[in-house]
Amino acid sequence: MRLVITADTHVPKRARDLPEPLWAAIETADVVLHAGDWVDESLLDAMQARSRRLIGVHGNNDGPALRARLPEIARVELDGLRVAVVHETGPRTRREERCAARFPDTDLLVFGHSHIPWDTTAESGLRLLNPGSPTDRRAQPHATYLSARVAAGRLDRVQLHRLPPR
């Protein structure tokens, strides 16, 4: 199962649309995970139309319309892998410990908010992934998203994709 993981898209505030390489990845993925800060419902509608399966949450920049359509936390099992998606996880200090306590029955936690790519594993075995942002790199050298594969309850081939400058 092929995953595309994104967050902090901020369309149309930070970009008019998603970068074409990300759209291409979305269209070929089996599952797309979006960890919030969509900003506008039109992006949610477009991603639902162009993806096979979309799992998303709302972020702190998402208004009432998006909050009505998206949960704060999404939980799903993908081929035996227990996944949670949330926008914010708090400060980076002790993040793994804090998230392992908050999500004890989870194998993979996808989060956003910081616009900083993140890939770590807590002592409990919980894998934490943040894809960065495909549209608002802030202090990062590149705009980014992630892809990965899931098979038989295992996550592998996690890859950070750097997008060309806009």
Side-chain angles (χ1 to χ4, degrees), residues 60-75:
N60 61 298
N61 284 294
D62 296 327
L66 283 162
R67 288 173 182 262
R69 293 176 62 184
L70 296 164
E72 179 180 1
I73 300 170
R75 295 177 186 272

PDB file of all heavy atoms in Angstrom, residues 60-75:
ATOM      1  N   ASN A  60      -4.871  24.274  13.229  1.00  0.00           N
ATOM      2  CA  ASN A  60      -5.167  25.531  13.910  1.00  0.00           C
ATOM      3  C   ASN A  60      -5.532  26.663  12.955  1.00  0.00           C
ATOM      4  O   ASN A  60      -6.152  27.638  13.358  1.00  0.00           O
ATOM      5  CB  ASN A  60      -3.996  25.951  14.818  1.00  0.00           C
ATOM      6  CG  ASN A  60      -2.719  26.177  14.045  1.00  0.00           C
ATOM      7  OD1 ASN A  60      -2.200  25.251  13.412  1.00  0.00           O
ATOM      8  ND2 ASN A  60      -2.183  27.376  14.090  1.00  0.00           N
ATOM      9  N   ASN A  61      -5.192  26.552  11.680  1.00  0.00           N
ATOM     10  CA  ASN A  61      -5.538  27.575  10.690  1.00  0.00           C
ATOM     11  C   ASN A  61      -6.796  27.230   9.907  1.00  0.00           C
ATOM     12  O   ASN A  61      -7.098  27.902   8.926  1.00  0.00           O
ATOM     13  CB  ASN A  61      -4.373  27.804   9.724  1.00  0.00           C
ATOM     14  CG  ASN A  61      -3.282  28.623  10.365  1.00  0.00           C
ATOM     15  OD1 ASN A  61      -3.472  29.787  10.678  1.00  0.00           O
ATOM     16  ND2 ASN A  61      -2.132  28.011  10.576  1.00  0.00           N
ATOM     17  N   ASP A  62      -7.497  26.195  10.306  1.00  0.00           N
ATOM     18  CA  ASP A  62      -8.703  25.766   9.603  1.00  0.00           C
ATOM     19  C   ASP A  62      -9.943  26.275  10.334  1.00  0.00           C
ATOM     20  O   ASP A  62     -10.086  26.074  11.537  1.00  0.00           O
ATOM     21  CB  ASP A  62      -8.734  24.237   9.489  1.00  0.00           C
ATOM     22  CG  ASP A  62      -7.581  23.724   8.649  1.00  0.00           C
ATOM     23  OD1 ASP A  62      -7.169  24.424   7.696  1.00  0.00           O
ATOM     24  OD2 ASP A  62      -7.079  22.622   8.934  1.00  0.00           O
ATOM     25  N   GLY A  63     -10.819  26.935   9.575  1.00  0.00           N
ATOM     26  CA  GLY A  63     -12.007  27.556  10.143  1.00  0.00           C
ATOM     27  C   GLY A  63     -13.133  26.569  10.404  1.00  0.00           C
ATOM     28  O   GLY A  63     -12.981  25.347  10.264  1.00  0.00           O
ATOM     29  N   PRO A  64     -14.299  27.109  10.774  1.00  0.00           N
ATOM     30  CA  PRO A  64     -15.444  26.283  11.167  1.00  0.00           C
ATOM     31  C   PRO A  64     -15.903  25.283  10.100  1.00  0.00           C
ATOM     32  O   PRO A  64     -16.297  24.171  10.441  1.00  0.00           O
ATOM     33  CB  PRO A  64     -16.547  27.304  11.462  1.00  0.00           C
ATOM     34  CG  PRO A  64     -15.833  28.576  11.744  1.00  0.00           C
ATOM     35  CD  PRO A  64     -14.564  28.535  10.950  1.00  0.00           C
ATOM     36  N   ALA A  65     -15.860  25.660   8.835  1.00  0.00           N
ATOM     37  CA  ALA A  65     -16.327  24.751   7.780  1.00  0.00           C
ATOM     38  C   ALA A  65     -15.444  23.504   7.702  1.00  0.00           C
ATOM     39  O   ALA A  65     -15.956  22.381   7.600  1.00  0.00           O
ATOM     40  CB  ALA A  65     -16.354  25.463   6.432  1.00  0.00           C
ATOM     41  N   LEU A  66     -14.135  23.679   7.765  1.00  0.00           N
ATOM     42  CA  LEU A  66     -13.232  22.522   7.734  1.00  0.00           C
ATOM     43  C   LEU A  66     -13.328  21.727   9.033  1.00  0.00           C
ATOM     44  O   LEU A  66     -13.299  20.500   9.016  1.00  0.00           O
ATOM     45  CB  LEU A  66     -11.794  22.964   7.471  1.00  0.00           C
ATOM     46  CG  LEU A  66     -11.508  23.324   6.012  1.00  0.00           C
ATOM     47  CD1 LEU A  66     -10.240  24.156   5.897  1.00  0.00           C
ATOM     48  CD2 LEU A  66     -11.411  22.071   5.166  1.00  0.00           C
ATOM     49  N   ARG A  67     -13.460  22.401  10.144  1.00  0.00           N
ATOM     50  CA  ARG A  67     -13.586  21.712  11.437  1.00  0.00           C
ATOM     51  C   ARG A  67     -14.864  20.877  11.494  1.00  0.00           C
ATOM     52  O   ARG A  67     -14.891  19.845  12.160  1.00  0.00           O
ATOM     53  CB  ARG A  67     -13.535  22.713  12.587  1.00  0.00           C
ATOM     54  CG  ARG A  67     -12.137  23.271  12.780  1.00  0.00           C
ATOM     55  CD  ARG A  67     -12.112  24.402  13.807  1.00  0.00           C
ATOM     56  NE  ARG A  67     -10.765  24.924  13.904  1.00  0.00           N
ATOM     57  CZ  ARG A  67      -9.882  24.571  14.843  1.00  0.00           C
ATOM     58  NH1 ARG A  67     -10.215  23.713  15.766  1.00  0.00           N
ATOM     59  NH2 ARG A  67      -8.680  25.076  14.842  1.00  0.00           N
ATOM     60  N   ALA A  68     -15.894  21.315  10.783  1.00  0.00           N
ATOM     61  CA  ALA A  68     -17.140  20.545  10.746  1.00  0.00           C
ATOM     62  C   ALA A  68     -16.981  19.264   9.921  1.00  0.00           C
ATOM     63  O   ALA A  68     -17.672  18.274  10.159  1.00  0.00           O
ATOM     64  CB  ALA A  68     -18.264  21.398  10.158  1.00  0.00           C
ATOM     65  N   ARG A  69     -16.044  19.260   8.989  1.00  0.00           N
ATOM     66  CA  ARG A  69     -15.860  18.116   8.092  1.00  0.00           C
ATOM     67  C   ARG A  69     -14.734  17.179   8.508  1.00  0.00           C
ATOM     68  O   ARG A  69     -14.685  16.031   8.038  1.00  0.00           O
ATOM     69  CB  ARG A  69     -15.585  18.618   6.670  1.00  0.00           C
ATOM     70  CG  ARG A  69     -16.782  19.323   6.057  1.00  0.00           C
ATOM     71  CD  ARG A  69     -16.475  19.893   4.713  1.00  0.00           C
ATOM     72  NE  ARG A  69     -16.111  18.867   3.739  1.00  0.00           N
ATOM     73  CZ  ARG A  69     -15.723  19.133   2.498  1.00  0.00           C
ATOM     74  NH1 ARG A  69     -15.658  20.384   2.070  1.00  0.00           N
ATOM     75  NH2 ARG A  69     -15.400  18.150   1.682  1.00  0.00           N
ATOM     76  N   LEU A  70     -13.815  17.668   9.331  1.00  0.00           N
ATOM     77  CA  LEU A  70     -12.616  16.906   9.665  1.00  0.00           C
ATOM     78  C   LEU A  70     -12.458  16.790  11.183  1.00  0.00           C
ATOM     79  O   LEU A  70     -12.692  17.759  11.905  1.00  0.00           O
ATOM     80  CB  LEU A  70     -11.369  17.588   9.091  1.00  0.00           C
ATOM     81  CG  LEU A  70     -11.292  17.673   7.573  1.00  0.00           C
ATOM     82  CD1 LEU A  70     -10.241  18.702   7.161  1.00  0.00           C
ATOM     83  CD2 LEU A  70     -10.985  16.312   6.989  1.00  0.00           C
ATOM     84  N   PRO A  71     -11.983  15.639  11.666  1.00  0.00           N
ATOM     85  CA  PRO A  71     -11.770  15.490  13.115  1.00  0.00           C
ATOM     86  C   PRO A  71     -10.466  16.143  13.563  1.00  0.00           C
ATOM     87  O   PRO A  71      -9.615  16.500  12.741  1.00  0.00           O
ATOM     88  CB  PRO A  71     -11.680  13.970  13.281  1.00  0.00           C
ATOM     89  CG  PRO A  71     -11.071  13.504  11.992  1.00  0.00           C
ATOM     90  CD  PRO A  71     -11.671  14.406  10.933  1.00  0.00           C
ATOM     91  N   GLU A  72     -10.313  16.270  14.863  1.00  0.00           N
ATOM     92  CA  GLU A  72      -9.043  16.737  15.427  1.00  0.00           C
ATOM     93  C   GLU A  72      -7.999  15.625  15.354  1.00  0.00           C
ATOM     94  O   GLU A  72      -6.813  15.871  15.126  1.00  0.00           O
ATOM     95  CB  GLU A  72      -9.234  17.173  16.872  1.00  0.00           C
ATOM     96  CG  GLU A  72      -7.957  17.650  17.530  1.00  0.00           C
ATOM     97  CD  GLU A  72      -8.154  18.073  18.971  1.00  0.00           C
ATOM     98  OE1 GLU A  72      -9.272  17.998  19.496  1.00  0.00           O
ATOM     99  OE2 GLU A  72      -7.148  18.492  19.581  1.00  0.00           O
ATOM    100  N   ILE A  73      -8.442  14.390  15.559  1.00  0.00           N
ATOM    101  CA  ILE A  73      -7.579  13.213  15.491  1.00  0.00           C
ATOM    102  C   ILE A  73      -8.277  12.177  14.617  1.00  0.00           C
ATOM    103  O   ILE A  73      -9.465  11.916  14.790  1.00  0.00           O
ATOM    104  CB  ILE A  73      -7.331  12.605  16.885  1.00  0.00           C
ATOM    105  CG1 ILE A  73      -6.646  13.620  17.806  1.00  0.00           C
ATOM    106  CG2 ILE A  73      -6.491  11.325  16.783  1.00  0.00           C
ATOM    107  CD1 ILE A  73      -6.594  13.186  19.263  1.00  0.00           C
ATOM    108  N   ALA A  74      -7.545  11.619  13.682  1.00  0.00           N
ATOM    109  CA  ALA A  74      -8.075  10.519  12.866  1.00  0.00           C
ATOM    110  C   ALA A  74      -7.282   9.266  13.206  1.00  0.00           C
ATOM    111  O   ALA A  74      -6.053   9.312  13.346  1.00  0.00           O
ATOM    112  CB  ALA A  74      -7.936  10.838  11.373  1.00  0.00           C
ATOM    113  N   ARG A  75      -7.986   8.160  13.326  1.00  0.00           N
ATOM    114  CA  ARG A  75      -7.346   6.871  13.585  1.00  0.00           C
ATOM    115  C   ARG A  75      -7.813   5.886  12.527  1.00  0.00           C
ATOM    116  O   ARG A  75      -8.998   5.839  12.202  1.00  0.00           O
ATOM    117  CB  ARG A  75      -7.711   6.352  14.972  1.00  0.00           C
ATOM    118  CG  ARG A  75      -7.178   7.212  16.097  1.00  0.00           C
ATOM    119  CD  ARG A  75      -7.637   6.670  17.453  1.00  0.00           C
ATOM    120  NE  ARG A  75      -7.269   7.547  18.536  1.00  0.00           N
ATOM    121  CZ  ARG A  75      -6.114   7.490  19.190  1.00  0.00           C
ATOM    122  NH1 ARG A  75      -5.223   6.575  18.873  1.00  0.00           N
ATOM    123  NH2 ARG A  75      -5.866   8.330  20.168  1.00  0.00           N
TER     124      ARG A  75
END
